Amino acid sequence: MVKQKQETANQPDNTAFTQQRLPAWQPIISAGIVIPGFLIIGLAFIGIGVALFVTSQSIQVLEMDYTGVDKTSPCNRCTDPNVKSCLCQMDFSIDTLFKGPVFFYYGLSNYYQNFRKYGVSIDYNQLFGDLSYFTSPSEKCSPYQYDNNNNPIVPCGAMANSMFSDTFKLFQIVNGTNKEVPLDGKGIAWWTDSNIKYRNPSVTPLQMAFNNTVKPLLWANPAYQLDPADANNNGFINQDFLVWMRRAALPNFRKLYRRITSGDYTQGLPAGNYTLQIAYNYPVLSFGGRKTVVFSNVSWMGGKNDFLGIAYLVIGSMCIIMSIVMLIVYAKFRFSEEE
Amino acid sequence: NDREYNLSFKYATNAIKTSKYNLFTFLPLNLFEQFQRIANAYFLFLLVLQVIPQISSLSWFTTVVPLVLVLVVTAAKDATDDIKRGKVFSEHQIRTRPHTHKHTPSKYPLISLFPALRLQSEKWMNVQVGDIIKLENNHFVTADLLLLSSSEPLNLVYIETAELDGLVCLLCYKVLQLVSEVRCEPPNNRLDRFTGTLTYAGQKYALDNEKILLRGCTLRNTEWCFGLVLFGGPETKLMQNCGKSTFKRTSVDRLMNVLVLCIFGFLAFMCTILAIGNVFWELNEGSHFTVFLPRQNDNNAAFSAFLTFWSYVIILNTVVPISLYVSVEIIRLGNSFYIDWDRKMYYARSDTPAMARTTTLNEELGQIKYIFSDKTGTLTQNIMIFNKCSINGKTYGDVYDDTGQRLEITEVKRVDFSFNPLADPRFVFHDHALVEAVKLENLEVHAFFRLLALCHTVMAEEKKEGELFYQAQSPDEGALVTAARNFGFVFRSRTPDSVTIVEEGEQRSYELLAILDFNNVRKRMSVIVRSPERKLSLYCKGADTIIYERLHQSCSKLMDVTTEHLNEFAGEGLRTLALAYKDLDEEYFSQWKERHHEASTALEDRESKLDQLYEEIEQDLLLLGATAIEDKLQDGVAHTIEQLSKADIKIWVLTGDKQETAENIGYSCNLLREEMNEVFVISGSSPEEVRQELRHARSSMKPDAADSVLLPERTLVKGVKVITDEEVNGEYGLVINGHSLAYALERSIEVEFLRTACMCKAVICCRVTPLQKAQVVELVKKYKQVVTLAIGDGANDVSMIKAAHIGVGISGQEGMQAVLSSDYSFAQFCFLQRLLLVHGRWSYLRMCKFLRYFFYKNFTFTFVHFWYAFFCGFSAQTVYDEWFITLYNLIYTALPVLGMSLFDQDVNDMWSFQHPQLYIPGQLNLFFSKKAFFTCALHSCYSSLMLFFIPYAAMHDTVRDDGKDVADYQSFALLTQTCLLFAVSIQVLGTWSSMSYWTAVNTFFVLGSLAMYFAVTFTMYSNGMFLMLPSAFPFIGTARNSLNQPNVWLTILLTSILCVLPVVTYRFLLIQLCPTINDKVQMELSHAFTASLFSRRSGYAFSHAQGYGDLVTSGRFLRRPAMFLSSGFAHTGRTTTGFSPMGRSAGYSPTGRPQNAKVPDVEGTSLQMYRTFTDSAL
């Protein structure tokens, strides 16, 4: 017995792994699988596509350009860089009820928030409320690290510096008078941003933390005075600031400005005439940018986007067409494989 | 023995390092070596680029982490290789020393040194050249020594040289007594040669191989001996022989290198485009976008473009995948292990598993076009059996009945050798006439056997009285001496000066005066002995042609008869030797002896001088007769050759045998076939003749192309001409003789020869020298762009094994030399078909799939960046999260792709055997070529377009269902990378090629990697990670906030489906419209699978039983009609119906039996096939 063992000492193990006999399933691209598969995928896609398309169609969107490039545009006079604290008004009317909740966005185009050097110009440690980064902001913020007097800029960096500064007021014209539509600026940023990612330093009053620092060059107010109305909406957790700091992926983007959810407008914006009062501060014309305001409501699939629905419909139909083509090919050439 | 004096010459010390590194040098040395590789150096360069803040578009860790991992993996592999190398060395030593149980070898055996006649123990390590050392029994010789004296009576020592050539053979060496000065040749690696002189008291003595103990030998049966150290350490012959093998690379490797260079070019091209784009962007947009992002260098677009170029080099570096080489190595290693582990390539009788000695050539095994095979020991078993002989014009060995009909040996009682107490009981002979002849004291018969008992170099060992044990250098000799022993001429013992034999029970001692040793040129050996009656004779045995040239005219009549017999023997595939003798004149001999001594002490030209002397004395011989030794075919050889030729592999047999023998073996192993239109024999003896014969052969194969002087050749870039294959109708064979081959290999004719030979189905070269073997291989390598494989077992095949792309060694009877220089080794020729058709094919397939997939996934990954560049101002902004970039190749996609390339099988091994045609795509390089690479790049271009633009279109103006942002950069990055990972994972699982193979492991890898991706992503984007390092994990919350959106998932689904469906459609249409051989077999397989869904196992067993039956039958018939190769799908089992028994040979009984029946007499010979059978039937 022992001797026999000795003789086959070098015999390899007989396991499924070493002998490459692992149990396996081999799906084959055969007509029996592919053609029905395509058909099913096609039908499913058409179903999804229809659902998406219908949903998308039901979403109302109202978009208005207020850059003021046009001479006739009400904001045209604000485009002159010499005009300070310019106010302009845009009138518009809604024919049917704009179902609520209505979301009020501002949009920028040809604006490269996704430019690499723009994107990296941010100090997460500083924005996390780390006081040591208040006195010496990160290198990355350059050239918005220190001002000309070598004072640290807080919040530093190009991204913070370029924060959107137009403000809006919406009025419904009821019987010739302007009735202000309450705009809700709370909860417009991601919860994770306002509660974890961005923190104010735990110094009270908040202003104390900003001693010996300067506000970003383009800002009108320092960070601790971003929202004069709400003391808890200041510093780095200011909702508008957070929305801005969530950098856009593409050069044309929208950002949430306010929600219209309260007062008489819980159900949406009723049909009627409205006027939008714009505090025009933000310069975009120098680089060919455009500014828009967008009113929109949402559905289960988010904002209005026809592409997904159409794409699903197209792909679904193509799958069905392909399955028919394959069926024809299969029927015609099947016998050749038997030869 | 002045040690100091000797030391002053700076001879190499005896310390040998077999491993490359030690603990301390490992890190720096290994790192240095690794950074010599271009890929690693490139990544170091990238790292430098990343440190420059102006350029750095990615954090340093994206490059460092993969680089470190790659370096660690490679270093680990190098380290294990290094350790393994040391281990193999020692294991080898232990394994080949079966008798040393009592002696426990310590690492540095203490040996004795005696400078100034004082013995002193010293470690081997400290031994110096010039030292005299004492070796004791069973000691391992660790330096090249000159023997001085020994304990044995005649200063003989016995050594075992298993370590050197694998032969366990005791050789006796004469020992010199005195020493003063030794001059010898410089260190070299020839084990079988040594020249030097010893000067003592003004007299010169020759030193040759016989007086040298080489490192690697072991002292046996010798109490002690003294030796002078000649070479130490790395200068020893063993060490000189190690590590000289050339580095082989596979064609896929070469292609890969070319492609990597192309990719570099492509990378530069892409970066240039992006840099130019950056110029335009800066001029049109960027220079105006300064309100929010001022430019430090004042709108210098050109400089910005320059920086952009390098930034994109960093970002797009993933097109040149750093992990490619490491992954390739791992895959090859894995597939090599499969070869080692394969039980169906394990030979139980010698307990030898197959071994992949090189782990870098696997996929080449799937591309073999030409096989060069040795015959003896490779196709045949190399177990020699004395089968027939012709003595004085009479043949013995065949048995006839009364009517003169030849009887089958199985029907005849074997000869009873009990009259001879010293007979070997295993010896079988059937012709009683020969025993009668011996008993009748027939003079010639006696002389015949006396010659066999005297003229050889066999060592006898008599452990117990009457139990003789022969240690023969070649099995032929063993067989001959054993035959003589059984017929009453027992070789009993030998000393350097005498040979003792027992003749018919009477002990006689012959004085051994000279051995004129055998070599490949002389092809004969002689001994000169003085009988107890003081009669001086020369006995000679050798190749018949050689002997015939040296015969005395008086035996011309006998010559004719013997020639007839020889031809008859050769016709039956037997190995023949002619025997001759001559009585010598005492006076002439003493004079010759003097000259011999003179020549053998000459320092220069010793060998040719000796040859001349030998030539002189080996004249006017008298013919005694001839022997015929049977060398049985190995099991399954014919079947294997048939399978391989169905796989369109051309087999050339290069053998040292006679033409007739070779031809016959060719027929019996199915290489040449009766149905072949013609078998050309080239035997011209001048260049012109050979050329004419070759031309003639070609013109009869292909009449129209006969006169065309214009060769259908293609000139490559390097000016090397490549001869393309020429189509021939019908099957032809070519047999070429050794001397004709010599002419055919001349420069002017070689192309002619190659063209003709390549048109033939089978080529047999006979009487080939080892050098010619290598030349033939080189010739094919030079003019044909094909992969060659050489298989052999003996030392004479080493050159050929080293020359071919892949060398396969058969660990058989002739020692380990072929194995040691081979890339793959196993015990039986028939394993070759499994190595090629199964392992090779799979390896090739896997490697190609891997490469295609690997390039695909990296290109797809990278191209997305390219598209994004047009939307981010060519600012080198990455699309993905940096952590994803870091981990993509290392974690998220590494395991699935490894799983695919280690477990994938398009069809299982049995189907591979049934359809050898599946092998052909590999030969044509169909699965991975420049074209395939290009297709793969296009495919990834398409995928990347989908992967970028669908998320783009779906997300650019949308928001979350609570109105918040989802089109931000971080969400977009997450979406794109998730899409990418899904698309890539689905491809690896499903549609990558026509076929996929889902083992549990594969599926686990893929799903596990996806799960891993989500786990890692959620971890990276979690609060905890952010709180620890806010600046390293800015993506906090992205996964939570975007992956809960239905439209995100709908986008992922759409993108993945869009990446996959076109591929499926394309594949489906391709299968339907122009199916490849693989598709056909897979279709058939799927039909078979569905058909046998309920009785799957029995179906498998049945399919195997067919192959088995075929094997059994093919092994039993010497010669049988060929199958039609064109009948691609014919089952191999049913074509073996007709046979034409021809010739007759022990062991093969051409009796018709039902082919699928288990035939008892082959039971032992087809062990491994039985195992297959039972395995699959379990």
Side-chain angles (χ1 to χ4, degrees), chain A residues 7 10 12 19-20 24-26 28 105 110 114 116 144 187 190 192 196-197 246-247 249 301 305 312 322, chain B residues 56 285 294 341 343 351 846 868 871 875 905-906 954 963-965 968-969 997-998 1034 1041 1047 1050 1065:
Chain A
E7 275 170 0
N10 292 321
Q19 303 309 310
Q20 305 200 56
W25 179 54
Q26 283 185 309
I28 292 173
Y105 299 91
N110 205 25
N114 60 4
R116 174 170 59 88
Y144 299 107
W190 285 9
T192 44
I196 294 152
K197 192 171 176 185
R246 187 138 285 281
R247 174 157 87 106
M301 59 160 282
N305 181 301
Y312 267 97
M322 273 327 291
Chain B
S56 169
E285 308 270 349
W341 287 335
R343 284 166 77 92
D351 190 26
R846 286 166 183 173
Y868 190 51
F871 296 88
S875 61
Q905 304 178 0
D906 56 344
K964 292 179 190 176
D965 214 352
D968 63 302
Y969 165 72
Y997 188 75
W998 297 12
N1041 281 302
N1047 55 352
L1050 284 173
T1065 318

Side-chain angles (χ1 to χ4, degrees), chain B residues 107 305 480 542 554 629 742 750 759 801 811 841 856 945 1033:
Chain B
K107 189 113 191 169
L480 290 176
S554 62
I629 296 171
E750 58 178 19
M759 287 160 93
I801 284 173
S811 41
R841 216 176 69 78
Y856 167 76
L945 278 171
F1033 301 99

Side-chain angles (χ1 to χ4, degrees), chain B residues 61 117 120 195 273 400 485 569 620 680 683 785 873 946 954 1027:
Chain B
F61 60 78
L117 295 170
Q120 149 190 349
T195 38
I273 288 187
Y400 300 89
R485 166 181 169 182
F569 295 158
D620 296 329
F680 305 106
S683 53
Q785 263 197 321
M946 290 299 125
L1027 293 178

Side-chain angles (χ1 to χ4, degrees), chain B residues 164-366:
Chain B
L164 284 175
D165 49 17
L167 280 178
V168 185
C169 158
L170 297 171
L171 295 174
C172 64
Y173 284 133
K174 289 181 199 165
V175 175
L176 299 162
Q177 258 109 18
L178 294 157
V179 182
S180 69
E181 189 189 304
V182 178
R183 284 174 187 279
C184 55
E185 60 183 359
N188 62 40
N189 61 358
R190 303 195 56 176
L191 291 175
D192 52 346
R193 290 280 156 78
F194 180 85
T195 38
T197 45
L198 178 145
T199 321
Y200 173 69
Q203 255 195 303
K204 279 188 177 180
Y205 296 93
L207 296 182
D208 59 20
N209 208 22
E210 293 201 341
K211 290 155 188 107
I212 304 298
L213 274 183
L214 298 179
R215 182 191 168 103
C217 306
T218 315
L219 205 60
R220 293 267 186 252
N221 302 346
T222 311
E223 206 92 322
W224 50 263
C225 75
F226 283 102
L228 174 75
V229 179
L230 293 179
F231 299 116
E235 286 183 351
T236 56
K237 302 224 172 197
L238 178 66
M239 287 299 132
Q240 296 269 326
N241 253 317
C242 291
K244 287 236 172 160
S245 54
T246 47
F247 183 64
K248 292 178 179 174
R249 307 188 82 159
T250 66
S251 56
V252 168
D253 246 338
R254 285 186 292 270
L255 180 60
M256 209 159 71
N257 285 345
V258 172
L259 290 180
V260 165
L261 283 184
C262 291
I263 293 171
F264 270 118
F266 186 60
L267 173 68
F269 174 69
M270 279 200 295
C271 291
T272 312
I273 288 187
L274 294 175
I276 292 170
N278 185 261
V279 172
F280 283 107
W281 188 86
E282 283 291 336
L283 292 178
N284 296 330
E285 308 270 349
S287 52
H288 308 296
F289 192 66
T290 47
V291 193
F292 304 117
L293 187 68
R295 300 292 190 277
Q296 278 105 327
N297 28 49
D298 295 326
N299 299 336
N300 187 342
F303 185 64
S304 149
F306 174 75
L307 293 183
T308 306
F309 180 86
W310 292 112
S311 298
Y312 270 111
V313 167
I314 296 175
I315 286 197
L316 303 181
N317 77 63
T318 37
V319 276
V320 187
I322 185 174
S323 45
L324 175 68
Y325 288 95
V326 181
S327 311
V328 165
E329 300 270 296
I330 293 174
I331 291 163
R332 286 181 179 152
L333 197 66
N335 283 311
S336 304
F337 276 124
Y338 282 134
I339 293 174
D340 294 349
W341 287 335
D342 197 335
R343 284 166 77 92
K344 289 172 191 167
M345 284 166 58
Y346 164 79
Y347 191 54
R349 229 185 286 170
S350 60
D351 190 26
T352 328
M355 189 159 56
R357 299 171 44 84
T358 317
T359 55
T360 54
L361 299 173
N362 300 41
E363 73 269 6
E364 198 102 296
L365 286 175

Side-chain angles (χ1 to χ4, degrees), chain B residues 1087-1106:
Chain B
H1087 292 322
F1089 183 77
T1090 33
S1092 65
L1093 208 57
F1094 298 103
S1095 57
R1096 197 168 133 208
R1097 278 182 181 148
S1098 61
Y1100 272 20
F1102 176 69
S1103 73
H1104 204 87
Q1106 279 185 325

